[in-house]
Amino acid sequence: MSWARAPIARLSRRQVVVGIRREDPTRIWERRCPLTPDAVHELVSKEGVQVHVEHCDRRIFPDSEFIRAGANIVSSLKEAHIHLGVKEPPLDELITTPLGDVQRTHMMFSHTAKAQSYNMPLLFSFLDPCSRPPRLVDFEMLTDDHGRRTVGFGWFAGFAGVFESLVSTAQSHLHHGIASPFLYTPRPHSLPSLDHLRAALRGIGTCIATEGTPKALGPFVIGLTGTGNVAKGCLDALSELPIQSIAPDDLPSFVANPDTDLRKVYLVHAKPSDYFVNKDNGYSREEYYAKPNLYKSVFSSNIAPYLTLFLNGGGWAPGFPRLMSGDDLRMALSRAHAGWRMTNIGDISCDPEGGLEFMTHATTLSDPSFSIRPSDELPEVRIMSVDILPTSIPLDASKHFSSALLPYLRSVVASYAGEDAGELGVALDRATIALDGQLTEKHAWLAAHRPSEKHVLILGSGMVAGPVVDKIAENQNRRVTIASNSLDELEALTKSHANASYVQQDLSDLTNIVEVLKTADVVISLLPATYHPKVAELCIEHKKHLVTASYISDEMKALHSNAEAAGVTLLNEIGLDPGIDHLTAISMIKRLQAENKEIVKFASFCGGLPDFSVKMDHPLKYKFSWNPRGALSGFMNPARYLNSKGVAEVKAGEMSKAYIPHFEVNVNENSVLEAYPNRNSMPYIGEYELDATKLRQFIRGTLRCPGFCTFMEEIRQAGFLDTTPLSETEWAQAEDRLKMTKFRDSVSKGALPNSLDYLAGVLARDPEFQYGKSERDMVLLVHRIETEDGEVHTAQLYVTGDERYSAMAKTVGLPVALAALLVLDGRVAIRGVIGPGDESMRVPILRELEANGIEMVERVGRCEVEVDY
């Protein structure tokens, strides 16, 4: 039933509950709120309804203000009829069941009306067959009778976008050795209100009017497209500068004129008639919208080559000509006049691969710009493409939005109270995308975009594969294929999942899986790390995303440019170590930095070990819950780390000289381990965004049971960690040495190529080094951070295995699966060879890990004893 025709329910007004949802916690900058406390007070006191506000510490209005306004702070909106949020919620937080027998209503910017692929699962959640599914009302569709949008943030996007774009441009010019007055431009989130931002830009304008812009840049020309609210916001911000408008046709002579006054900023506000032309070089608005295929863009030749900064505030829709393609950008740069023209773009409309084909992804306020180089001979282009610009001005934006939304909300409340929705009921009908489990007539075409089955290919079926397969296959809209040479493992992994199948292949020759790889959306490689670069090359060739738990090797790093050009994400270091250690360390560091704590020491140690309850008589003091080869070879790696004496270096094979014999953890009274440095710690100082000049310690290490390192040194001296191929004579000698080191000779030499592989094969099959049915492994991860004020912040993860999974399988397999799902769902926009530190991955993965019981326990104390490794 439509809003305009009949009420939704016949509740008393006091029974109607309006809910304000917490925004997606992975969007750390999203601080806006659809209603202000003043609007809530009006709803409670004048409309007589209840208002529930989901608790959130990030929101621009604190909970205390809503309490004073008469709202109830709740942990869930399960008792709310009307759910309000700015942007779409995480799928797992969407409530679609009715409240009793009363249908719910969700109002938000759902980003589904254009069939945005990443949000089709959200849309079809409103169409699942159930009793009285909720209505979906999209703020973007709220319009007046003339089709003009009435509720939105467009003006604020434009206003904030000018600031972010000027900041990005000033940094770009500084990179080229040019300092401009725009270096003093504040980022919009750094000041409390619009008035403060205006004053700051006005001060920069005064400086320009007095001293001018740098001569090396020539006339500072800003180009702007669009005629809607976004463009109006841009124009309002730019009005604080000494602006002089010029026509597009005057650009060539104006820019070339050496006498052009540099004490002004020049603005070209280009309209569609300036850059869209038909075959006769003419433009008719009616013809353009009726037959867009007859038009092409000349922006790249007529306007772009003359712009110092281009602000894109215009929209685009499929079927219409793009403003600029990749080829257009190359042409514009090749024609560009002196002054680094067309090398800075603020894509405020932020429509990836839309009007600007080469703008491949949205950015965040944490990292607002990215750069592309269209070809080797052309300059780099810096693009600001933040998709949540209005939230950088959360107070003013929320006040504006709330006042525009409130009349519509009153109509919705009236409909729940059995009353006529009034004249705004028609507008609410236009904005309703889903109703009673069906798409409304205007949006029926979206039915063709029901999410298709997605395919994940998993390479390898070893010790950590179980949680990966189970997590990926839990959704029947995903198809899982596992490729391995072990039939027993394949059958065990797939038997519980109707949507999982396997391919038995020898993966030493990766050409065997090319055909199945072509059908995958995401590939997960659980193979030994040495295989990953070859797998990555296949993924780049066939444009498939890849996820691994292994360190980024030099061979993998070398594939970055090719992967980026292919639009492929190669996500690595997302297991336990590396993986969870990165995610938790970065989160701790960012929190301490936000508290203005100066970090001077950082240490992180991790290990997969037999639980303290496991009895071990063998001097190795180890049992294997993962590939023995990896555990053995790690002891041979070189290492670099920082201590009080400077950078410490450990040569390959000399780890016994650097290990730490006494390392305490907080598990039980016998919780003493030993540790040794893990590879090269130094690059992670930058990865973790720490100030190297302030650090007195930075080390990442591995934990083992006491006695491990001493016995590993005996093994090394006996030659069993050697990777040199063995001759027939050496095989016989290896067998004798094996007996001397107290290992059982349970493996024939077969095709094993060297001593290390020989020993790994022995350990993989010797029952003494496998876990018995009642024995459990454990994972320990410890971070220790010391700050300049003497505080010591520690965090510890302690996970034990159970009957289903080992601790190692949980802590490696689950992060891999969660990362792969983020990539699969289009929530990772970064391309190329990357780690998991970006907030788009870090925050949701940590949240899911905590939900599965994998969580760090933190403590704060004082530094009483100097600790140096």
Side-chain angles (χ1 to χ4, degrees):
M1 189 68 69
S2 74
W3 300 95
R5 293 178 185 169
I8 294 176
R10 298 192 181 279
L11 305 171
S12 70
R13 281 190 169 252
R14 188 58 194 160
Q15 290 176 305
V16 178
V17 180
V18 175
I20 298 176
R21 176 169 45 77
R22 175 190 69 165
E23 295 299 323
D24 185 342
T26 66
R27 297 189 174 105
I28 66 169
W29 287 96
E30 185 52 84
R31 302 183 63 215
R32 290 172 293 178
C33 188
L35 291 179
T36 64
D38 287 344
V40 167
H41 178 71
E42 185 173 333
L43 286 171
V44 172
S45 61
K46 294 184 180 179
E47 302 294 330
V49 303
Q50 299 179 62
V51 177
H52 288 184
V53 178
E54 200 169 11
H55 167 69
C56 179
D57 290 323
R58 184 182 294 143
R59 194 183 284 125
I60 185 62
F61 304 112
D63 289 352
S64 58
E65 291 192 30
F66 285 112
I67 292 172
R68 285 195 294 272
N72 296 317
I73 305 301
V74 297
S75 60
S76 167
L77 296 186
K78 60 184 179 181
E79 301 299 326
H81 300 97
I82 305 163
H83 291 222
L84 302 177
V86 175
K87 303 194 86 170
E88 68 273 24
L91 268 178
D92 58 359
E93 295 183 11
L94 181 71
I95 301 176
T96 57
T97 55
L99 182 53
D101 61 350
V102 179
Q103 181 186 48
R104 299 182 198 261
T105 296
H106 288 263
M107 303 179 73
M108 67 180 92
F109 286 105
S110 71
H111 301 111
T112 60
K114 296 179 183 177
Q116 291 96 320
S117 59
Y118 64 93
N119 266 346
M120 288 299 96
L122 174 77
L123 174 62
F124 283 88
S125 296
F126 288 86
L127 308 181
D128 282 347
C130 69
S131 173
R132 308 222 67 193
R135 298 179 179 220
L136 173 60
V137 178
D138 197 306
F139 294 140
E140 191 173 358
M141 301 290 109
L142 285 171
T143 60
D144 61 19
D145 293 338
H146 301 286
R148 295 185 292 253
R149 288 179 57 185
T150 53
V151 176
F153 293 101
W155 184 93
F156 292 89
F159 193 93
V162 166
F163 283 79
E164 289 288 0
S165 300
L166 288 173
V167 169
S168 177
T169 300
Q171 292 174 354
S172 172
H173 288 155
L174 191 65
H175 178 75
H176 295 302
I178 305 168
S180 83
F182 291 114
L183 277 173
Y184 303 110
T185 307
R187 295 192 62 195
H189 72 269
S190 66
L191 293 178
S193 69
L194 289 173
D195 289 341
H196 286 83
L197 289 167
R198 289 182 186 278
L201 202 55
R202 198 178 307 129
I204 294 170
T206 300
C207 176
I208 291 172
T210 305
E211 301 177 12
T213 54
K215 189 173 182 180
L217 294 177
F220 199 104
V221 182
I222 298 176
L224 172 66
T225 55
T227 57
N229 287 328
V230 170
K232 290 176 182 176
C234 291
L235 292 170
D236 208 347
L238 292 171
S239 68
E240 304 297 341
L241 298 172
I243 290 288
Q244 178 178 321
S245 294
I246 55 175
D249 291 345
D250 295 334
L251 279 169
S253 58
F254 186 85
V255 170
N257 185 357
D259 297 324
T260 299
D261 190 354
L262 300 183
R263 292 170 298 176
K264 295 179 180 179
V265 175
Y266 300 94
L267 174 66
V268 181
H269 187 187
K271 309 301 193 300
S273 57
D274 294 319
Y275 48 82
F276 286 134
V277 297
N278 57 23
K279 63 181 180 180
D280 299 320
N281 287 324
Y283 176 85
S284 162
R285 188 176 188 277
E286 293 75 17
E287 181 186 57
Y288 173 74
Y289 283 99
K291 299 177 181 179
N293 59 300
L294 299 180
Y295 282 77
K296 67 176 182 178
S297 172
V298 293
F299 188 88
S300 59
S301 58
N302 295 3
I303 300 174
Y306 308 99
L307 303 181
T308 312
L309 168 62
F310 169 43
L311 301 173
N312 183 31
W316 177 80
F320 285 79
R322 299 183 192 275
L323 185 65
M324 290 182 73
S325 66
D327 288 339
D328 290 336
L329 178 62
R330 284 185 281 273
M331 180 180 71
L333 289 169
S334 66
R335 297 183 178 185
H337 285 242
W340 300 103
R341 299 195 183 275
M342 202 50 202
T343 57
N344 287 281
I345 297 172
D347 192 356
I348 301 171
S349 293
C350 194
D351 188 3
E353 299 179 352
L356 301 179
E357 183 184 38
F358 48 84
M359 197 286 279
T360 56
H361 62 276
T363 58
T364 69
L365 288 170
S366 296
D367 191 11
S369 302
F370 69 98
S371 296
I372 61 172
R373 185 182 291 277
S375 65
D376 291 341
E377 66 275 8
L378 293 173
E380 197 172 71
V381 178
R382 190 178 178 102
I383 302 173
M384 188 290 299
S385 55
V386 174
D387 65 347
I388 53 169
L389 285 165
T391 197
S392 62
I393 318 175
L395 179 63
D396 295 280
S398 296
K399 287 180 177 179
H400 167 83
F401 187 85
S402 177
S403 64
L405 175 62
L406 195 56
Y408 293 99
L409 185 56
R410 289 197 192 99
S411 292
V412 177
V413 168
S415 188
Y416 271 92
E419 304 165 14
D420 189 340
E423 60 183 19
L424 292 181
V426 175
L428 287 165
D429 279 342
R430 287 195 296 263
T432 300
I433 293 179
L435 173 66
D436 296 331
Q438 296 182 337
L439 293 165
T440 55
E441 183 178 357
K442 177 182 176 182
H443 300 284
W445 65 278
L446 291 170
H449 294 269
R450 180 177 287 275
S452 58
E453 184 180 69
K454 294 185 177 180
H455 183 201
V456 177
L457 171 62
I458 300 173
L459 303 179
S461 59
M463 295 177 174
V464 302
V468 183
V469 175
D470 290 346
K471 186 64 182 178
I472 301 289
E474 70 181 9
N475 186 321
Q476 292 301 307
N477 282 331
R478 305 179 195 127
R479 180 164 58 90
V480 180
T481 302
I482 313 164
S484 168
N485 63 354
S486 173
L487 182 60
D488 290 344
E489 291 176 350
L490 290 169
E491 289 178 341
L493 289 167
T494 56
K495 66 181 181 181
S496 301
H497 302 289
N499 56 336
S501 60
Y502 63 79
V503 176
Q504 187 181 12
Q505 286 286 1
D506 177 9
L507 297 185
S508 63
D509 182 359
L510 291 174
T511 59
N512 290 332
I513 49 92
V514 168
E515 291 306 313
V516 68
L517 184 144
K518 288 179 181 178
T519 69
D521 297 292
V522 172
V523 178
I524 298 173
S525 179
L526 303 178
L527 299 173
T530 52
Y531 284 79
H532 293 160
K534 293 296 184 184
V535 175
E537 289 175 358
L538 287 176
C539 288
I540 292 170
E541 179 183 352
H542 299 288
K543 291 183 167 50
K544 307 299 178 183
H545 303 302
L546 172 66
V547 178
T548 87
S550 299
Y551 281 100
I552 298 173
S553 64
D554 290 340
E555 293 84 358
M556 180 68 78
K557 195 179 299 183
L559 299 174
H560 176 73
S561 296
N562 290 343
E564 204 171 32
V568 167
T569 296
L570 303 179
L571 173 56
N572 302 267
E573 302 194 2
I574 186 56
L576 166 63
D577 172 11
I580 295 176
D581 59 343
H582 291 333
L583 305 179
T584 51
I586 292 171
S587 293
M588 281 185 74
I589 289 166
K590 285 189 175 295
R591 188 177 68 252
L592 292 172
Q593 289 173 334
E595 296 170 3
N596 294 318
K597 300 283 187 181
E598 189 173 288
I599 295 171
V600 295
K601 289 187 176 183
F602 174 89
S604 176
F605 291 87
C606 183
L609 307 158
D611 188 62
F612 290 111
S613 62
V614 176
K615 303 299 183 185
M616 293 177 291
D617 296 326
H618 197 281
L620 185 63
K621 302 296 183 184
Y622 200 77
K623 289 177 180 276
F624 293 91
S625 57
W626 61 303
N627 187 338
R629 193 186 195 283
L632 296 172
S633 61
F635 190 76
M636 294 293 288
N637 290 327
R640 296 179 79 238
Y641 59 97
L642 181 70
N643 62 20
S644 60
K645 298 176 184 177
V647 177
E649 306 235 11
V650 182
K651 295 179 181 179
E654 296 187 0
M655 197 58 72
S656 63
K657 299 178 181 179
Y659 83 97
I660 303 158
H662 188 93
F663 189 99
E664 292 188 10
V665 292
N666 296 311
V667 177
N668 59 40
E669 65 276 9
N670 297 316
S671 305
V672 176
L673 300 171
E674 61 185 35
Y676 59 86
N678 182 9
R679 303 181 184 238
N680 186 1
S681 297
M682 302 305 291
Y684 293 97
I685 295 175
E687 292 283 336
Y688 293 176
E689 297 183 359
L690 291 169
D691 185 348
T693 64
K694 303 292 176 60
L695 283 174
R696 301 196 295 268
Q697 179 189 91
F698 188 91
I699 183 171
R700 299 174 70 254
T702 299
L703 295 174
R704 289 290 181 259
C705 294
F708 177 88
C709 292
T710 300
F711 191 65
M712 284 293 292
E713 177 60 14
E714 290 181 26
I715 295 172
R716 186 194 69 79
Q717 291 182 12
F720 269 101
L721 301 182
D722 194 349
T723 58
T724 305
L726 296 177
S727 66
E728 288 295 323
T729 302
E730 289 170 326
W731 274 119
Q733 295 171 347
E735 291 169 354
D736 291 338
R737 292 200 309 273
L738 187 67
K739 293 169 186 175
M740 291 171 59
T741 51
K742 306 181 181 65
F743 292 116
R744 297 175 187 174
D745 183 8
S746 58
V747 174
S748 61
K749 59 195 178 202
L752 294 175
N754 55 55
S755 296
L756 176 60
D757 286 329
Y758 182 79
L759 179 56
V762 171
L763 296 175
R765 291 163 176 80
D766 190 333
E768 189 169 1
F769 300 96
Q770 312 308 309
Y771 286 92
K773 288 186 178 180
S774 62
E775 293 179 331
R776 300 287 178 256
D777 72 326
M778 68 176 176
V779 160
L780 274 169
L781 169 62
V782 181
H783 298 317
R784 185 184 186 278
I785 299 177
E786 188 175 325
T787 56
E788 185 63 41
D789 58 6
E791 287 185 348
V792 177
H793 298 257
T794 61
Q796 180 172 291
L797 172 69
Y798 172 52
V799 179
T800 58
D802 54 37
E803 293 181 358
R804 188 178 186 192
Y805 300 135
S806 68
M808 183 62 70
K810 293 179 189 177
T811 53
V812 174
L814 190 55
V816 166
L818 294 173
L821 292 178
L822 290 176
V823 175
L824 190 68
D825 294 340
R827 297 176 65 183
V828 178
I830 311 170
R831 299 295 180 251
V833 178
I834 62 172
D838 187 80
E839 67 189 20
S840 64
M841 295 168 278
R842 175 169 47 85
V843 175
I845 291 174
L846 282 177
R847 186 181 68 209
E848 286 298 314
L849 289 174
E850 289 174 8
N852 284 272
I854 300 174
E855 183 176 8
M856 302 286 280
V857 176
E858 297 189 21
R859 294 182 175 88
V860 181
R862 302 295 300 176
C863 181
E864 298 177 357
V865 179
E866 187 73 15
V867 177
D868 196 23
Y869 299 111

